[in-house]
Amino acid sequence: MLGNLEGFNRTHNCGELSIENEKVNVTIMGWVQKRRDHGGVIFIDVRDRSGFVQVVFNPDLNQKAFKKAEELRSEFVVAIKGSIRKRPQGNINEELPTGRIEIEGHELKILDKADTTPFLINDDVNPGEDLRLKYRYLDLRRPMMRDMMELRHNAVKATRDFLDKKDFWEIETPLLTKSTPEGARDYLVPSRINPGQFYALPQSPQLFKQLLMISGMERYFQIAKCFRDEDLRSNRQPEFTQIDIEMSFITREDIFELTENLLRRIFALNDIQVPKEVPVMTYQEAIKQYGLDKPDLRFDMRLKNISDVVKESEFNIFSGTVKKGGQVKGIKVNNGSDFSRSQIDELEDFVKLYGAKGLAWIKIEEGEINSPIAKFLSDKELDQIIERMEAQSGDLLLFVADKSKVVANSLGNLRVKLGNELDLIDEDDYKFTWIVDFPMFEYNVEEERYVAKHHPFTSPLPEDIDKLDNDLENLKANSYDIVLNGEELGGGSIRINNKKLQHKVFDAMNFTEDEIKNKFGFLMDAFEYGTPPHGGIALGLDRIIMILGNTDSIRNVIAFPKTQKATSPLTDAPSSVEEKQLEELHINLVNLD
RNA sequence: GGAGGAGUAGCGAAGUGGUUGAACGCGCCGGCCUGUCACGCCGGAGAUCGCGGGUUCAAAUCCCGUCUCCUCCGCCA
């Protein structure tokens, strides 16, 4: 009968068998990857988590097993007894880890049969995302996905080992917690016992880890699930995992060192070196030179400011923008003068996505200037632009004139796009950098108030504290991000550990006394009882695995991810619920249309 | 909330108004085959061209709507 293991005890994993095991009797179990039926002899590749191995059924050796092997189809689950032998001369397959040996099949048991799968279980096929997610348990059988899961496990294991050695304690914090007003939209969970009230799933364990510092836990970490009800991207899922760390009695540099060593350990899993010295760049410098706060340092093409050169220019789009307080900046595409008009139009469409109104361009062709805006620029201005841009014959210059924020964002993203498309990036290069001194606040036009750029528990830079009273715009935070190849791996800060200062920060954000009390009263209370200086960092585990695993979708590093509409084709979540469940939760559905 | 791309047998994919009864590859089913490992050879089944309207003598192909997946903007302390 099917499924019964009677008489079979697994002795080896398929992928681990080698010439060392010659003449050994083995029992393997796994899935049929492939059957090659030659009529007189049948080859079966049997796959388990460790890899696969070839089993041969020969009627001359074992008629019964051979007959049984004729029934086999792909993805049948089997148990096989046999003996390891060297492959005959000329039949060694050097391509395969187990290619020097094979199993002479003596006894075959079919543990379960399988229907033809919706897609083939190998890395050569590329089924649509919805199919992969609907049959995720089959998708995960593919070597690529199996490898991702193993990599993820190893990274988490390395993290736990490393932090344990450094005297950190892994402490769990609640998933059912309190909704906080700042930041991302919360996932809410209705309380049955408290009609009309809701828990929120944590966007991060931020407040709890600070409370743990006040508790004297001193060094905390958690592989923490976090939830944010915002729109999805190729690197953003509504539930994701952070390596969450907090320490007491430390400086920013202590956190840098710890994080670098942790990353060193994790990236070593794929032989990627974290340099001895990870450079530190200020936010202001990053925006100035690269336009983004997560610069990709694998290629140059920095932004150059030509505002001063064109501020009196005839070309109104440039001079007018500068006079209104905006900027004109440009990037240089080496040997880009052969870009066609339609290619440049495409680049213009791209920067418009980021709010730019247009993209001005100048081609330097054999000393000749080719540009629709050249006629509005004086020779002197052109010369100065070329000098500022360090342009040579054959180059293409691209300019955006706008508010500084739009200029930085549009050119910064254009730079990344060109870097990728022009193949300026060495895929084997890994450029880490710290970004520090972020602005504490950003003005939110919709809410007509300042909001925290990192979070409101971030300490301002000590030398900037006075600006809390009069210069919020330029107040810098003691916060930091770790960036790799243009991807933000994580960020953190030194926290406020003082009630008075915390209160001032809330004030700056226009919180009322009542709001502070209702939303953060418990933190303010805790600050009364002896709070150590503390700080920490949260690293995006999923993004780290993406880069380590060299994949461009976060879904490939999560066993059961959601689609872009935050649904699961596998479980069909989310779904409607029974009327009775809603009643228990005191919830009435209303139609808002 | 918005922009773009995609949806054709189980999977991948060609086909942009008719003369093809919708290619091709993989898989599947049957037969043959004793050294394959992308096995080979012969034969076969399998498609309301995402769904709903419309234009036309004629629609996979053009138009409108709608659903799903992907990428991006906004959003993501």
Side-chain angles (χ1 to χ4, degrees):
Chain A
M1 90 188 236
L2 289 180
N4 189 345
L5 275 181
E6 197 184 340
F8 286 80
N9 283 307
R10 194 186 203 184
T11 62
H12 291 78
N13 293 323
C14 299
E16 290 158 9
L17 293 166
S18 74
I19 204 83
E20 305 287 309
N21 307 97
E22 196 188 353
K23 297 198 170 82
V24 173
N25 286 317
V26 299
T27 302
I28 58 163
M29 297 187 189
W31 286 258
V32 174
Q33 175 68 35
K34 190 81 190 175
R35 181 184 63 140
R36 289 179 294 278
D37 184 347
H38 286 241
V41 60
I42 297 174
F43 300 96
I44 306 288
D45 290 337
V46 179
R47 183 193 73 239
D48 63 18
R49 201 177 68 173
S50 66
F52 67 90
V53 66
Q54 174 168 285
V55 182
V56 190
F57 292 100
N58 191 317
D60 303 338
L61 290 167
N62 192 317
Q63 183 66 31
K64 193 178 161 206
F66 176 81
K67 274 286 163 208
K68 193 98 183 159
E70 287 185 321
E71 292 175 35
L72 292 176
R73 294 293 183 274
S74 291
E75 300 308 313
F76 277 27
V77 184
V78 293
I80 291 167
K81 288 184 187 175
S83 57
I84 305 295
R85 68 184 190 204
K86 264 190 213 157
R87 292 199 187 182
Q89 279 292 329
N91 286 295
I92 286 168
N93 188 338
E94 300 285 0
E95 306 286 303
L96 306 176
T98 58
R100 300 183 150 269
I101 52 117
E102 63 192 8
I103 296 177
E104 184 183 293
H106 298 156
E107 212 175 321
L108 165 63
K109 190 168 181 65
I110 296 175
L111 298 172
D112 196 20
K113 298 188 174 189
D115 286 346
T116 304
T117 49
F119 49 84
L120 297 181
I121 309 301
N122 65 47
D123 288 341
D124 302 327
V125 296
N126 188 24
E129 195 74 25
D130 33 358
L131 248 208
R132 288 180 62 193
L133 293 186
K134 181 170 180 186
Y135 298 98
R136 190 58 155 183
Y137 44 89
L138 298 179
D139 195 36
L140 289 167
R141 287 183 190 175
R142 302 161 76 204
M144 180 274 244
M145 290 302 292
R146 191 222 73 97
D147 290 349
M148 291 295 178
M149 293 304 115
E150 184 182 29
L151 180 62
R152 187 171 177 128
H153 162 75
N154 286 333
V156 170
K157 173 83 162 60
T159 300
R160 288 201 160 103
D161 290 349
F162 174 83
L163 291 172
D164 174 65
K165 277 232 166 60
K166 297 284 180 188
D167 282 336
F168 284 80
W169 290 352
E170 184 169 8
I171 301 173
E172 289 162 278
T173 54
L175 290 183
L176 295 176
T177 180
K178 185 180 173 65
S179 180
T180 51
E182 293 294 288
R185 192 176 294 114
D186 284 323
Y187 275 98
L188 296 177
V189 180
S191 169
R192 174 182 59 81
I193 295 170
N194 303 281
Q197 303 200 312
F198 296 82
Y199 302 96
L201 302 178
Q203 297 174 26
S204 82
Q206 183 59 36
L207 289 172
F208 290 105
K209 68 175 174 176
Q210 290 192 242
L211 292 172
L212 287 170
M213 294 305 102
I214 298 174
S215 308
M217 295 297 126
E218 298 197 18
R219 294 179 158 225
Y220 141 96
F221 85 99
Q222 184 178 191
I223 310 296
K225 266 289 181 80
C226 305
F227 304 85
R228 295 179 189 175
D229 188 3
E230 298 293 346
D231 285 357
L232 289 75
R233 288 284 191 283
S234 62
N235 64 355
R236 266 163 42 188
Q237 282 273 309
E239 56 177 308
F240 61 100
T241 305
Q242 286 185 342
I243 301 170
D244 195 43
I245 294 172
E246 196 78 6
M247 309 154 77
S248 295
F249 310 117
I250 44 82
T251 64
R252 186 176 86 176
E253 279 61 37
D254 293 316
I255 294 174
F256 285 9
E257 190 190 338
L258 179 91
T259 304
E260 288 169 23
N261 283 329
L262 171 59
L263 289 175
R264 201 161 279 133
R265 180 83 173 261
I266 293 172
F267 278 84
L269 291 169
N270 272 4
D271 298 319
I272 295 165
Q273 304 265 331
V274 178
K276 277 212 163 56
E277 299 270 325
V278 175
V280 179
M281 186 186 300
T282 65
Y283 170 86
Q284 291 72 21
E285 197 63 17
I287 296 295
K288 187 176 157 197
Q289 302 217 49
Y290 301 96
L292 305 174
D293 61 5
K294 44 175 189 174
D296 191 332
L297 301 181
R298 289 173 298 177
F299 67 107
D300 199 35
M301 203 191 278
R302 298 183 206 194
L303 280 57
K304 299 273 166 61
N305 195 337
I306 61 161
S307 303
D308 58 315
V309 175
V310 298
K311 68 171 185 281
E312 301 296 340
S313 171
E314 300 262 306
F315 187 43
N316 240 318
I317 292 176
F318 281 4
S319 52
T321 300
V322 177
K323 279 171 190 155
K324 274 185 285 179
Q327 281 185 327
V328 184
K329 295 181 92 170
I331 54 176
K332 176 184 66 171
V333 182
N334 289 330
N335 304 311
S337 67
D338 56 352
F339 271 56
S340 68
R341 187 58 195 257
S342 68
Q343 281 175 304
I344 294 175
D345 285 348
E346 197 192 302
L347 300 181
E348 176 160 24
D349 288 343
F350 180 79
V351 294
K352 283 180 175 172
L353 290 174
Y354 300 91
K357 290 169 202 75
L359 186 68
W361 55 271
I362 299 175
K363 285 180 182 176
I364 323 287
E365 294 171 330
E366 318 233 341
E368 296 278 298
I369 300 292
N370 174 358
S371 167
I373 64 167
K375 58 178 176 285
F376 304 112
L377 297 167
S378 68
D379 287 352
K380 190 180 161 206
E381 284 165 348
L382 274 171
D383 285 347
Q384 285 182 319
I385 288 171
I386 288 167
E387 193 193 332
R388 178 71 52 83
M389 300 300 296
E390 297 169 29
Q392 294 180 348
S393 191
D395 292 343
L396 169 67
L397 306 177
L398 301 164
F399 301 94
V400 172
D402 217 302
K403 287 176 291 197
S404 61
K405 209 174 162 182
V406 171
V407 170
N409 203 229
S410 57
L411 278 182
N413 283 106
L414 180 62
R415 173 182 175 273
V416 171
K417 177 187 168 76
L418 288 167
N420 280 302
E421 291 181 358
L422 299 176
D423 225 10
L424 304 178
I425 293 171
D426 175 0
E427 292 296 329
D428 296 324
D429 197 11
Y430 293 84
K431 286 277 194 287
F432 292 82
T433 185
W434 287 102
I435 306 295
V436 299
D437 298 355
F438 282 80
M440 182 82 185
F441 299 111
E442 263 178 331
Y443 191 74
N444 185 308
V445 182
E446 265 174 42
E447 298 184 41
E448 297 181 331
R449 66 180 183 96
Y450 282 92
V451 299
K453 188 165 173 72
H454 185 54
H455 58 55
F457 318 109
T458 300
S459 174
L461 280 181
E463 63 266 32
D464 272 16
I465 282 189
D466 290 346
K467 292 181 182 162
L468 255 182
D469 296 318
N470 49 34
D471 192 8
L472 296 182
E473 193 70 36
N474 291 308
L475 172 61
K476 291 183 198 111
N478 199 350
S479 66
Y480 33 81
D481 278 1
I482 179 79
V483 170
L484 168 59
N485 293 354
E487 190 86 44
E488 178 195 332
L489 294 186
S493 60
I494 300 298
R495 324 299 183 190
I496 295 169
N497 69 320
N498 168 289
K499 184 174 179 177
K500 230 173 122 185
L501 181 57
Q502 185 67 69
H503 203 289
K504 260 189 133 166
V505 168
F506 286 144
D507 284 343
M509 297 168 64
N510 276 1
F511 280 24
T512 65
E513 210 60 43
D514 273 355
E515 283 172 323
I516 295 173
K517 200 170 167 219
N518 292 336
K519 301 297 181 188
F520 304 109
F522 62 101
L523 180 71
M524 299 305 264
D525 287 349
F527 277 153
E528 302 276 23
Y529 300 102
T531 306
H534 63 286
I537 193 166
L539 300 167
L541 177 70
D542 311 278
R543 289 186 187 175
I544 289 172
I545 307 299
M546 276 174 75
I547 294 177
L548 261 184
N550 199 21
T551 184
D552 53 13
S553 168
I554 194 171
R555 295 181 300 278
N556 287 339
V557 302
I558 296 175
F560 299 101
K562 303 285 191 291
T563 67
Q564 197 169 42
K565 281 191 70 186
T567 64
S568 163
L570 173 68
T571 61
D572 204 28
S575 57
S576 46
V577 296
E578 301 284 321
E579 190 61 37
K580 184 164 176 286
Q581 291 175 280
L582 290 177
E583 275 171 29
E584 284 178 339
L585 296 169
H586 322 282
I587 288 177
N588 254 322
L589 296 183
V590 293
N591 194 344
L592 294 177
D593 295 330

